Amino acid sequence: MVERLKFRNPELTKRVAEKIRQVAPKSDTVKICHVCGTHEWTITHFGIRSLLPSNVEVIAGPGCPVCVTPAAEIDEAVQLAHKGVTVTCFGDVLRVPGSQLSLLDAKAGGADVRVVYSASDAVKMAEKEPNKEFAFFAIGFETTAPSTAIEVLKKPKNLSFLVSHRLIPPAMELLLGIGDLQIDGFIAPGHVSAIIGLRPYEIFPKAYRMPTVVAGFEPLDVLFAVYMILRQLKDGEARLENEYTRAVSWEGNLKAQELMHQVFEVVAGEWRGLGRLPSSAFKLKNEYAKYDAREKFKVKIEHGRDLPPGCQCHLVMIGKIKPTECPLYMKTCTPQRPVGACMVGAEGTCRIWAKAINTPR
Ligand code: SF4
């Protein structure tokens, strides 16, 4: 892939790329996995893969919150909208396919579905129309969950929450259980880590002997993280390291963690195309049940159709295939007319690739 954007510091970039070549094994393949849509954006748009030796591969795991939201939970949001509830959601969520309909389809059919930029916007919107019932479709990882928690604690009168938050460390553990993926190291996401800190990743070097480096989102951050993982592999070590010290601490954001702990309990959660992962989702605690849209409007869908016919999102999301290996990629599935969830949101791997490769500059 060609280099698409310019590095801020080309000289330092060259030096780090050279260091990477020096520590990389001469012939053995190394597979490094990140779990973050923003990392994939940086890697793809800056052509970072083209700077790495051919035997060092960086793959994308399930790091796009829109992509991992299962069809059953989109179906629940659609059902809420069809019951006359005004559903508020982030813009990326609108076109994510449910089993039959997306929220955009429901809106086109007359349902009241509105885009908001935050949970707080949804609360303000509901306050302005006190005679209507609103629901906020709360998706995202540990990064966005604290802002949902803050709004739950405000106990809004006519707004409830369809909570679909997911947790990153259990998804990383899932990847290690897929034997033929054979991951050699993890780049952990900077923004999630700013909230949860380093501690939840301790398990990876300790129990799995997996080098793990928390990294930021500048291209040099990612290159440094690759270097740090290769260095550990060369030394025969597995450590948890922090490349993103300017934003991430060992403890993380204790206030945000306390908010999440106050409002949510950790439960098993369904991930689109990947099945049910233990301890990987948030649910509102019983004391907040009256703010739970599922409870309030009796909406609960257990199973949905995660993958439209031919869609390979379940394999793209674990880095087993590249988007270009999906037979629908840029044929029937395009950013303008997405078939699968990975082509919808700005953090979806297929969409990132489609935009980087197919957009003339
Ligand atoms: Fe799914 Fe489309 Fe990606 Fe294929 S190209 S995996 S259908 S999102």
Side-chain angles (χ1 to χ4, degrees), residues 311-313 316 326 328-329 333 339-343 350:
C311 171
Q312 306 290 304
C313 279
V316 170
C326 170
L328 310 189
Y329 178 79
C333 183
V339 173
C342 298
M343 192 60 94
C350 295

mmCIF file of all heavy atoms in Angstrom, residues 311-313 316 326 328-329 333 339-343 350, ligand 1:
data_model
loop_
_atom_site.group_PDB
_atom_site.id
_atom_site.type_symbol
_atom_site.label_atom_id
_atom_site.label_comp_id
_atom_site.label_asym_id
_atom_site.label_seq_id
_atom_site.Cartn_x
_atom_site.Cartn_y
_atom_site.Cartn_z
ATOM 1 N N CYS A 311 -21.196 -12.014 3.597
ATOM 2 C CA CYS A 311 -20.387 -11.069 4.390
ATOM 3 C C CYS A 311 -19.361 -11.829 5.244
ATOM 4 O O CYS A 311 -19.675 -12.816 5.890
ATOM 5 C CB CYS A 311 -21.308 -10.241 5.290
ATOM 6 S SG CYS A 311 -20.421 -9.226 6.480
ATOM 7 N N GLN A 312 -18.133 -11.321 5.248
ATOM 8 C CA GLN A 312 -17.043 -11.979 5.987
ATOM 9 C C GLN A 312 -16.596 -11.140 7.189
ATOM 10 O O GLN A 312 -15.468 -11.265 7.643
ATOM 11 C CB GLN A 312 -15.843 -12.177 5.042
ATOM 12 C CG GLN A 312 -16.152 -12.911 3.750
ATOM 13 C CD GLN A 312 -16.462 -14.372 3.981
ATOM 14 O OE1 GLN A 312 -15.651 -15.089 4.576
ATOM 15 N NE2 GLN A 312 -17.629 -14.816 3.553
ATOM 16 N N CYS A 313 -17.481 -10.301 7.688
ATOM 17 C CA CYS A 313 -17.080 -9.403 8.785
ATOM 18 C C CYS A 313 -16.514 -10.167 9.987
ATOM 19 O O CYS A 313 -15.605 -9.667 10.661
ATOM 20 C CB CYS A 313 -18.273 -8.569 9.248
ATOM 21 S SG CYS A 313 -18.621 -7.144 8.208
ATOM 22 N N VAL A 316 -12.924 -10.655 9.136
ATOM 23 C CA VAL A 316 -12.191 -9.373 9.093
ATOM 24 C C VAL A 316 -11.975 -8.866 10.513
ATOM 25 O O VAL A 316 -10.892 -8.397 10.874
ATOM 26 C CB VAL A 316 -12.977 -8.328 8.258
ATOM 27 C CG1 VAL A 316 -12.356 -6.935 8.407
ATOM 28 C CG2 VAL A 316 -13.000 -8.732 6.785
ATOM 29 N N CYS A 326 -12.608 -10.431 1.086
ATOM 30 C CA CYS A 326 -14.056 -10.680 1.100
ATOM 31 C C CYS A 326 -14.567 -10.530 -0.328
ATOM 32 O O CYS A 326 -14.293 -9.516 -0.980
ATOM 33 C CB CYS A 326 -14.768 -9.686 2.012
ATOM 34 S SG CYS A 326 -16.565 -9.778 1.840
ATOM 35 N N LEU A 328 -17.266 -9.670 -1.467
ATOM 36 C CA LEU A 328 -18.185 -8.547 -1.700
ATOM 37 C C LEU A 328 -17.490 -7.180 -1.687
ATOM 38 O O LEU A 328 -18.083 -6.179 -2.074
ATOM 39 C CB LEU A 328 -19.303 -8.541 -0.631
ATOM 40 C CG LEU A 328 -20.053 -9.838 -0.372
ATOM 41 C CD1 LEU A 328 -21.255 -9.569 0.538
ATOM 42 C CD2 LEU A 328 -20.531 -10.463 -1.671
ATOM 43 N N TYR A 329 -16.221 -7.166 -1.224
ATOM 44 C CA TYR A 329 -15.497 -5.900 -1.021
ATOM 45 C C TYR A 329 -15.417 -5.068 -2.295
ATOM 46 O O TYR A 329 -14.890 -5.513 -3.308
ATOM 47 C CB TYR A 329 -14.096 -6.199 -0.491
ATOM 48 C CG TYR A 329 -13.224 -4.977 -0.276
ATOM 49 C CD1 TYR A 329 -13.376 -4.184 0.844
ATOM 50 C CD2 TYR A 329 -12.250 -4.639 -1.215
ATOM 51 C CE1 TYR A 329 -12.574 -3.063 1.042
ATOM 52 C CE2 TYR A 329 -11.438 -3.519 -1.021
ATOM 53 C CZ TYR A 329 -11.610 -2.739 0.107
ATOM 54 O OH TYR A 329 -10.808 -1.631 0.292
ATOM 55 N N CYS A 333 -20.419 -4.416 -1.786
ATOM 56 C CA CYS A 333 -20.277 -3.734 -0.490
ATOM 57 C C CYS A 333 -19.317 -2.556 -0.623
ATOM 58 O O CYS A 333 -18.111 -2.750 -0.837
ATOM 59 C CB CYS A 333 -19.767 -4.737 0.559
ATOM 60 S SG CYS A 333 -19.653 -4.022 2.204
ATOM 61 N N VAL A 339 -22.773 -3.462 2.941
ATOM 62 C CA VAL A 339 -23.513 -4.708 3.202
ATOM 63 C C VAL A 339 -23.277 -5.136 4.651
ATOM 64 O O VAL A 339 -24.202 -5.459 5.379
ATOM 65 C CB VAL A 339 -23.070 -5.826 2.225
ATOM 66 C CG1 VAL A 339 -23.723 -7.166 2.605
ATOM 67 C CG2 VAL A 339 -23.415 -5.444 0.785
ATOM 68 N N GLY A 340 -22.014 -5.142 5.059
ATOM 69 C CA GLY A 340 -21.663 -5.588 6.409
ATOM 70 C C GLY A 340 -21.313 -4.423 7.311
ATOM 71 O O GLY A 340 -21.040 -3.302 6.845
ATOM 72 N N ALA A 341 -21.296 -4.689 8.618
ATOM 73 C CA ALA A 341 -21.046 -3.629 9.607
ATOM 74 C C ALA A 341 -19.653 -3.017 9.473
ATOM 75 O O ALA A 341 -19.458 -1.843 9.770
ATOM 76 C CB ALA A 341 -21.238 -4.195 11.012
ATOM 77 N N CYS A 342 -18.666 -3.800 9.013
ATOM 78 C CA CYS A 342 -17.287 -3.281 8.939
ATOM 79 C C CYS A 342 -17.126 -2.218 7.852
ATOM 80 O O CYS A 342 -16.085 -1.566 7.773
ATOM 81 C CB CYS A 342 -16.296 -4.410 8.671
ATOM 82 S SG CYS A 342 -16.257 -5.644 9.956
ATOM 83 N N MET A 343 -18.139 -2.054 6.997
ATOM 84 C CA MET A 343 -18.077 -1.030 5.948
ATOM 85 C C MET A 343 -18.867 0.211 6.359
ATOM 86 O O MET A 343 -18.923 1.190 5.623
ATOM 87 C CB MET A 343 -18.627 -1.610 4.637
ATOM 88 C CG MET A 343 -18.377 -0.790 3.397
ATOM 89 S SD MET A 343 -16.629 -0.519 3.014
ATOM 90 C CE MET A 343 -16.282 -1.862 1.885
ATOM 91 N N CYS A 350 -13.071 -2.467 6.940
ATOM 92 C CA CYS A 350 -13.371 -2.452 5.499
ATOM 93 C C CYS A 350 -13.540 -1.020 5.003
ATOM 94 O O CYS A 350 -13.067 -0.660 3.929
ATOM 95 C CB CYS A 350 -14.630 -3.272 5.208
ATOM 96 S SG CYS A 350 -14.406 -5.023 5.574
HETATM 97 FE FE1 SF4 B 1 -18.545 -7.413 5.449
HETATM 98 FE FE2 SF4 B 1 -18.507 -5.710 3.336
HETATM 99 FE FE3 SF4 B 1 -16.306 -6.103 4.716
HETATM 100 FE FE4 SF4 B 1 -17.257 -8.011 3.151
HETATM 101 S S1 SF4 B 1 -16.469 -6.035 2.496
HETATM 102 S S2 SF4 B 1 -16.469 -8.259 5.226
HETATM 103 S S3 SF4 B 1 -19.452 -7.698 3.387
HETATM 104 S S4 SF4 B 1 -18.212 -5.189 5.467
#
